[in-house]
Amino acid sequence: MAIPVIDFSKLNGEKRAETLAQIANGCEEWGFFQLVNHGISEELLGRVKKVSSEWFKLEREENFKNSTLVKTLNELAETKSGKLENVDWEDVVTLLDDNEWPAQTPGFKEIMAEYRSELKKLAAKVMEVMDENLGLPKGYIKKAFDGEGDDAYFGTKVSHYPPCSHPELVNGLRAHTDAGGVILLYQDDVVGGLQILKDGKWIDVQPLPNSIVINTGDQVEVLSNGRYKSVWHRVLAAPEGNRRSIASFYNPSLKATISPAPQLVENVEEEVDQVYPKFVFGDYMSVYAEQKFLPKEPRFQAVRAM
């Protein structure tokens, strides 16, 4: 079983209806799908891959090797005293338009800024497709994320999962659902490890060169009144390979009010209407910060009470 792979360019041709249906299926049945021919050039993706690897080697690798995480794992392995809990075998930096970016690696900032700009355009297109499939006005999801005159949040996590000598003792990234809206991932095209939970089984998200993996976060599940799913996913640590993962998050503004789209709650039985409360996204993030690796349903209940 493999997650859907969808040719995004076919939205512009005679196979538009078929492609819309494939994306709807990806959102409704999987919560994850891969886009190919998405409009971001292979040349740019190649530069992103190259400069992110150079950045890790130059600015991050040595610190990771000497980190408390690595030392603790080695001690656990020697003493056979259990598994590392509540940590992830991950090196990560978050890029925002207004925060300080790594500066030592030549070209990193320029290339990543160009990539983020292109990815933001792709995110807008993906959200418009979701609008259309859900029967919502064009721009509905983006407008909901922007809130009252604020821009939506757009952050990029540049992560590496270095080779792990004892992968059975630590998670690459613990299982969770994503708090936000639409997530766009440029993952390693050789080293796997990302898995999603589908029908009670963990399914690999297969490496596919130059694809962009899309997944829907908790806020899209709420806006769609449960038609689109935010699903559990995780990353396994591995003994070989340094897995690259560049995940960008198109999330609501912290001030945005999120609730099911009115068009999607009509003619739905009353108890279903009550599954997803109306809340301010910043309040949800306060709950999520404490409960990221726990089931999402209690988060909705907790934010309802705020």
Side-chain angles (χ1 to χ4, degrees):
M1 188 185 298
I3 74 163
V5 177
I6 301 169
D7 186 339
F8 202 58
S9 68
K10 291 186 177 178
L11 276 175
N12 301 319
E14 59 186 24
K15 293 192 174 180
R16 177 176 175 80
E18 179 183 330
T19 307
L20 285 170
Q22 290 173 346
I23 294 171
N25 173 261
C27 293
E28 293 174 9
E29 300 299 326
W30 291 83
F32 269 75
F33 53 94
Q34 301 208 52
L35 292 182
V36 296
N37 298 322
H38 40 62
I40 299 176
S41 73
E42 292 185 7
E43 185 272 335
L44 175 55
L45 292 175
R47 284 190 283 130
V48 169
K49 179 166 67 173
K50 182 173 183 290
V51 81
S52 60
S53 295
E54 292 170 347
W55 163 75
F56 179 77
K57 288 185 181 298
L58 181 64
E59 301 188 44
R60 307 292 295 185
E61 187 171 35
E62 200 61 33
N63 283 341
F64 188 87
K65 287 179 179 178
N66 295 321
S67 66
T68 302
L69 173 62
V70 173
K71 292 173 185 174
T72 304
L73 181 69
N74 290 335
E75 290 169 3
L76 268 182
E78 286 179 18
T79 58
K80 298 181 179 179
S81 54
K83 183 176 178 178
L84 267 181
E85 305 287 352
N86 303 319
V87 294
D88 303 302
W89 190 259
E90 176 189 37
D91 177 84
V92 59
V93 165
T94 300
L95 307 179
L96 302 169
D97 287 341
D98 57 357
N99 71 347
E100 187 174 346
W101 288 27
Q104 296 178 40
T105 306
F108 181 88
K109 185 169 185 177
E110 294 78 10
I111 291 169
M112 294 306 293
E114 180 183 353
Y115 171 69
R116 276 170 48 83
S117 175
E118 292 300 307
L119 204 65
K120 203 169 184 179
K121 296 174 191 174
L122 177 60
K125 293 175 184 175
V126 169
M127 288 186 287
E128 286 181 358
V129 171
M130 291 179 179
D131 291 333
E132 185 171 348
N133 275 333
L134 289 167
L136 299 173
K138 183 177 180 179
Y140 183 95
I141 294 175
K142 185 178 184 303
K143 184 178 179 182
F145 286 178
D146 284 345
E148 296 297 323
D150 294 308
D151 284 336
Y153 169 99
F154 188 66
T156 298
K157 276 180 55 182
V158 184
S159 301
H160 286 84
Y161 301 89
C164 181
S165 55
H166 303 284
E168 74 283 1
L169 298 181
V170 66
N171 297 289
L173 180 60
R174 287 162 284 168
H176 63 286
T177 67
D178 287 326
V182 177
I183 299 86
L184 305 95
L185 168 68
Y186 179 34
Q187 70 164 345
D188 203 287
D189 51 12
V190 176
V191 184
L194 175 62
Q195 297 183 322
I196 69 166
L197 190 62
K198 167 77 169 160
D199 300 329
K201 297 179 181 178
W202 288 104
I203 307 295
D204 291 331
V205 179
Q206 63 275 25
L208 185 64
N210 300 312
S211 69
I212 299 293
V213 180
I214 306 294
N215 73 283
T216 46
D218 296 349
Q219 308 313 305
V220 169
E221 180 170 326
V222 173
L223 282 169
S224 70
N225 201 32
R227 274 182 57 181
Y228 290 176
K229 302 301 181 187
S230 176
V231 303
W232 286 88
H233 52 286
R234 68 183 185 184
V235 177
L236 301 179
E240 297 179 356
N242 182 21
R243 180 178 181 272
R244 179 194 72 254
S245 170
I246 303 174
S248 297
F249 299 79
Y250 200 107
N251 290 354
S253 156
L254 290 176
K255 297 178 182 178
T257 298
I258 303 297
S259 64
Q263 299 92 324
L264 302 179
V265 296
E266 295 168 356
N267 303 319
V268 178
E269 291 186 17
E270 186 174 344
E271 63 265 27
V272 178
D273 287 355
Q274 301 305 314
V275 171
Y276 303 104
K278 183 177 184 178
F279 55 84
V280 175
F281 181 61
D283 291 342
Y284 187 83
M285 286 304 294
S286 297
V287 175
Y288 185 83
E290 302 291 329
Q291 301 182 15
K292 176 176 179 178
F293 301 106
L294 299 174
K296 65 193 170 196
E297 291 77 12
R299 297 199 289 264
F300 296 135
Q301 296 308 313
V303 83
R304 184 198 302 274
M306 296 177 77

